[in-house]
Amino acid sequence: MQLATWNVNSLKVRLPQVVEWLTQSPVDVLCLQELKMDQDVFPLAEIEAAGYRAAWFGQKTYNGVAILVRSPLQLDDVVLGIPGYDDPQRRVIAATVNGVRVICGYFVNGEAVDSPKYPYKLEWLSKLHAYVADELTRHPQLALLGDYNIAPEDRDVYDPESWHEQVLCSTPERAAFRALVDLGLADSFRLFNQEDKQYSWWDYRAMMFRRNKGVRIDHILITPALQAKAVACVIDKTPRKWERPSDHTPVVLTLAD
């Protein structure tokens, strides 16, 4: 079983790339973030034509998340948003797929540590933590996938000095990431890859991708039950090389049967 996460930065723009990537890399579960489209215009027909089913939580202009599963897999017990949290931004969707609880999240960016959006990010992270903790009481097999907008360590950014205490790398954000790990989850990428300069997002400007000046902010955290099945986790840079790419690229986790 393969699970992947990809911030597509507009599904309307990137739909052909999503279909192409799924043709080349037919993962069983693909979590998408930043759909940037309303609920009623989700391209379900095209997704189904590619051999996938979908559950989605759309929002125009910004945000929006979806979980795609390869047929004949089913999406069971779908939950939209964080239960009990009145959040106007559509950032979370969850479903059970083949016994695995999949939570797809588009974490708040925060803009800057002195921005009014930063306290919202910390509040949102707290609400998500409580939600995941509750889900773990019922789902020993759980994966939290998404664009976290958090680089957990200095080795996850191309220039730690310039990023020091900036948004994505600030102490409170990294503490929130560690708090999720402390629930009993593991950063699946780091189970296998300890190399430096491994990133999942690159700014469009200044040829940052070509120069590999990026940040690793797309993650898949998994429970011990899934850790026991994990055999690989990789960052697939291929779609970032395509014409009009997303600024993010997929992260793929492979689980043994």
Side-chain angles (χ1 to χ4, degrees):
M1 186 176 186
Q2 287 190 308
L3 298 87
T5 182
W6 189 7
N7 178 326
V8 291
N9 191 13
S10 174
L11 184 57
K12 181 179 180 180
V13 174
R14 244 64 70 175
L15 178 60
Q17 297 187 9
V18 170
V19 171
E20 175 66 19
W21 188 76
L22 287 173
T23 300
Q24 297 179 8
S25 304
V27 297
D28 299 286
V29 180
L30 175 59
C31 291
L32 300 177
Q33 302 89 42
E34 246 186 309
L35 304 182
K36 295 184 176 179
M37 58 173 50
D38 278 336
Q39 188 76 358
D40 60 354
V41 297
F42 184 85
L44 182 59
E46 291 87 343
I47 296 299
E48 290 181 338
Y52 284 77
R53 296 178 170 138
W56 65 96
F57 196 29
Q59 189 167 24
K60 189 177 181 179
T61 308
Y62 300 107
N63 310 319
V65 286
I67 301 174
L68 280 53
V69 298
R70 188 156 60 102
S71 298
L73 291 172
Q74 301 283 344
L75 291 143
D76 299 317
D77 189 18
V78 175
V79 174
L80 307 181
I82 298 175
Y85 180 34
D86 185 16
D87 186 3
Q89 300 190 16
R90 297 183 171 186
R91 294 181 171 276
V92 179
I93 186 170
T96 299
V97 182
N98 196 30
V100 177
R101 190 60 172 169
V102 175
I103 302 176
C104 170
Y106 174 41
F107 289 42
V108 178
N109 178 278
E111 192 173 72
V113 293
D114 58 353
S115 166
K117 297 178 181 179
Y118 185 77
Y120 164 56
K121 179 174 190 173
L122 299 183
E123 174 189 89
W124 190 93
L125 287 166
S126 175
K127 297 295 185 181
L128 179 75
H129 181 276
Y131 173 46
V132 173
D134 184 60
E135 289 287 274
L136 286 169
T137 65
R138 294 183 297 277
H139 302 286
Q141 295 191 113
L142 182 147
L144 175 61
L145 306 91
D147 173 4
Y148 282 52
N149 271 311
I150 301 172
E153 302 175 68
D154 281 352
R155 61 177 168 167
D156 296 313
V157 299
Y158 71 90
D159 185 349
E161 185 175 342
S162 68
W163 282 89
H164 180 67
E165 293 301 338
Q166 300 300 310
V167 70
L168 311 187
C169 300
S170 70
T171 296
E173 293 168 275
R174 287 179 166 178
F177 185 93
R178 288 195 300 273
L180 287 169
V181 170
D182 288 344
L183 290 173
L185 303 175
D187 180 349
S188 58
F189 184 75
R190 288 302 181 199
L191 293 175
F192 303 99
N193 194 311
Q194 300 299 325
E195 298 178 10
D196 292 333
K197 299 182 180 180
Q198 302 294 308
Y199 310 125
S200 63
W201 173 85
W202 300 260
D203 197 311
Y204 286 124
R205 298 167 294 183
M207 296 188 295
M208 298 296 267
F209 177 67
R210 186 176 298 181
R211 298 159 67 196
N212 197 31
K213 292 192 172 186
V215 182
R216 190 177 73 96
I217 54 176
D218 301 88
H219 309 295
I220 304 175
L221 297 188
I222 55 175
T223 56
L226 293 184
Q227 292 176 49
K229 300 179 180 182
V231 295
C233 186
V234 299
I235 296 171
D236 183 357
K237 294 182 181 180
T238 302
R240 190 61 175 81
K241 302 173 185 177
W242 292 344
E243 187 176 352
R244 295 189 71 197
S246 169
D247 44 0
H248 295 254
T249 206
V251 180
V252 183
L253 169 67
T254 302
L255 302 172
D257 293 334

